[in-house]
Amino acid sequence: MLKLDHIEEMLEKALEEKDVKKIRSISKEFQFVDFAEAMEQFESKKVLKIFRLLELEEAAEIFTYLDSEHQEYIIEAFTNTEIQEILDELYTDDIVDLIDEMPSEVVKKILKATTKDVRKELNNILKYKEHTAGAIMSINFTELKADNTVEMAIKAIKRRHEDYDEIDDLFIIDEQNKLLGWLELKQLLINTPETKLEKIMNSKIISVNVEMDQEEVANYFKRYDINTLPVVNKNQQLVGIITVDDVIDVLVEESTEDIQNFAGIDADNVESDYFETSIFKMYKSRIVWLSILLLIGIVTHVIMLIMFNLVDGLKDLSSGREMIMMIPILIVLAGVSGNIANQSSLMMIRSLALNQVHKKEIKTIFVKELIVGFLLGITLSFINVIRLLIIYAIQGGGSINHMEWMVILFSTLGILVVVMLANLLGILLPLILKKIKRDPTIASSPLITSLVDIMCVLVFIGFALIIV
């Protein structure tokens, strides 16, 4: 993060001094991904200003690392000619990734700025189902004929190397475009110019079908320790390649999805980047399982009421009955609130692990989670009112007394308070640990759950004492 702060300061100074050469120098001095992340800390207008001052080659590389929000802002501000200049510098799979993140009107503008050949290439990838090998492959790869000589292969690579995604692994095909084998670039250097490729190629082919799930594709890379994997159709014709950098993205995406599902978060409603997930999507991804947990708590509540009825003297207490009535609600809510804190904690730990959080964004995170916590609290409070009305109505033979109404009121307020606090605690604890240079994963389930239990007891006993 120190490097990013340094780049940010340098860019800020260069902007103030209107030093175009300095901005271009910074873009060449640092890694593109670091430069892009530092750019993102500025407001959108400044990001656009910096981007316009960059040289075309650097601008195109940096563009691929910007988040979708800034990419969209730049595309909307650019003319068709300017967009085409950027797209001409990108590989087809990068354009596909860009299109996937954009709203329909922006996609139309992108497609309008592309050539007929590029649109054809895009359609060749977009026709495949999401999360399959075909959807993540690149069609900018090196293919050579089996009867080509080493000399012919070297000339072809020299002539078209800028069009290829990578040239370390070369794939050999026949006249029908069927995959026959592969060889490494170094083999062209150690063999004589007249040697035919079919004589030196490796015929032990590791390939995947275009319909294979991306998680299975990632397993191929781990199992066979490869950097490039050819993709074939049902006729064994070579249609694309998948590189190790594509697979890293898949592994991050799949592991994030697994973590979210483990925490009871609907991964389909959550983006891989924390800041690209809207408040409503975050609320929607979490509320279903939390509501189910609260409803399942009816069973716990009823069991405890039955047990209390078996204890002589509890029914006849002249005071303190409100405290006893709060206990089942407290136990149920402690479980639900612990889950809420774990959800928000896991999301923040994951975002920190992927370096998606910058110090300037802490305020945004706090406000976002405060709103999400409020929405969750309101919904769960409503469900709590319904479930308590049902329980007390059945217990009282259809009537609810004043004491029970007070318990419903204050327990509902307690739920709203505890849910909001638990949600904030789950977010803030990993951030605090990161700030003091400790591992954020310390804020794991046991610690979070214990802290939430303490908080639940304090809040609910406090409200119970008010009733008493």
Side-chain angles (χ1 to χ4, degrees), residues 398-454:
S399 63
I400 300 174
N401 60 42
H402 178 264
M403 184 190 302
E404 289 168 339
W405 278 114
M406 293 299 290
V407 169
I408 290 172
L409 172 63
F410 282 97
S411 65
T412 301
L413 290 173
I415 286 178
L416 182 59
V417 171
V418 169
V419 166
M420 291 181 68
L421 291 176
N423 197 54
L424 289 176
L425 179 66
I427 288 293
L428 294 175
L429 195 55
L431 289 172
I432 292 169
L433 290 169
K434 181 75 172 178
K435 180 67 177 176
I436 60 175
K437 302 189 185 304
R438 300 297 300 273
D439 187 354
T441 56
I442 295 172
S444 57
S445 183
L447 176 59
I448 288 283
T449 303
S450 299
L451 292 174
V452 171
D453 285 346
I454 294 169

Side-chain angles (χ1 to χ4, degrees), residues 138-154:
S138 169
I139 58 174
N140 305 114
F141 59 93
T142 318
E143 56 180 4
L144 301 165
K145 297 288 171 56
D147 58 357
N148 287 166
T149 62
V150 167
E151 184 179 14
M152 292 168 65
I154 291 174

Side-chain angles (χ1 to χ4, degrees), residues 167-412:
I167 59 172
D168 294 333
D169 296 312
L170 314 171
F171 297 97
I172 315 302
I173 57 173
D174 64 12
E175 295 299 326
Q176 285 75 44
N177 211 45
K178 288 186 177 181
L179 181 62
L180 300 176
W182 64 280
L183 54 83
E184 294 178 315
L185 180 62
K186 66 181 181 181
Q187 290 176 272
L188 299 182
L189 303 176
I190 61 177
N191 282 282
T192 57
E194 63 275 7
T195 304
K196 289 200 172 184
L197 300 184
E198 61 188 356
K199 299 292 184 183
I200 60 174
M201 72 179 185
N202 188 338
S203 57
K204 290 183 179 179
I205 303 169
I206 303 168
S207 63
V208 295
N209 186 270
V210 287
E211 300 296 334
M212 182 178 283
D213 185 86
Q214 63 179 17
E215 195 166 2
E216 291 183 54
V217 171
N219 289 332
Y220 269 69
F221 278 83
K222 289 188 288 184
R223 180 177 179 83
Y224 297 108
D225 194 22
I226 52 179
N227 294 320
T228 311
L229 185 62
V231 182
V232 297
N233 60 20
K234 61 182 179 180
N235 298 318
Q236 294 302 303
Q237 293 172 314
L238 183 63
V239 293
I241 63 168
I242 298 172
T243 57
V244 69
D245 60 321
D246 297 320
V247 169
I248 290 172
D249 294 336
V250 169
L251 290 172
V252 169
E253 181 184 334
E254 293 291 344
S255 60
T256 300
E257 185 177 316
D258 291 342
I259 289 169
Q260 289 167 347
N261 287 332
F262 177 76
I265 300 170
D266 183 1
D268 292 336
N269 283 311
V270 182
E271 305 295 335
S272 57
D273 191 315
Y274 174 86
F275 292 99
E276 291 181 10
T277 306
S278 68
I279 289 172
F280 178 72
K281 277 190 172 183
M282 195 166 286
Y283 160 78
K284 187 180 174 183
S285 71
R286 299 169 66 181
I287 191 58
V288 175
W289 274 110
L290 293 174
S291 300
I292 291 170
L293 285 174
L294 191 56
L295 290 171
I296 291 173
I298 292 175
V299 178
T300 306
H301 197 135
V302 170
I303 290 171
M304 292 198 70
L305 289 177
I306 292 171
M307 294 301 173
F308 287 162
N309 288 333
L310 295 176
V311 179
D312 294 333
L314 279 182
K315 284 185 177 181
D316 303 322
L317 285 175
S318 58
S319 63
R321 280 200 65 207
E322 296 87 348
M323 190 80 74
I324 299 298
M325 292 173 69
M326 278 286 202
I327 292 174
I329 305 171
L330 167 61
I331 292 172
V332 171
L333 184 63
V336 175
S337 300
N339 196 279
I340 289 170
N342 282 323
Q343 285 179 339
S344 54
S345 176
L346 283 170
M347 289 180 70
M348 184 48 57
I349 289 170
R350 188 63 178 161
S351 298
L352 289 169
L354 297 176
N355 292 319
Q356 294 175 351
V357 179
H358 192 271
K359 66 180 182 180
K360 286 187 176 181
E361 296 162 333
I362 303 299
K363 183 180 178 181
T364 304
I365 293 170
F366 184 84
V367 173
K368 187 175 186 176
E369 290 301 327
L370 195 65
I371 297 171
V372 171
F374 179 75
L375 293 174
L376 292 174
I378 288 292
T379 307
L380 294 176
S381 295
F382 176 75
I383 294 172
N384 181 66
V385 170
I386 300 300
R387 76 183 192 92
L388 289 182
L389 285 173
I390 293 170
I391 291 171
Y392 292 148
I394 293 172
Q395 187 183 27
S399 63
I400 300 174
N401 60 42
H402 178 264
M403 184 190 302
E404 289 168 339
W405 278 114
M406 293 299 290
V407 169
I408 290 172
L409 172 63
F410 282 97
S411 65
T412 301

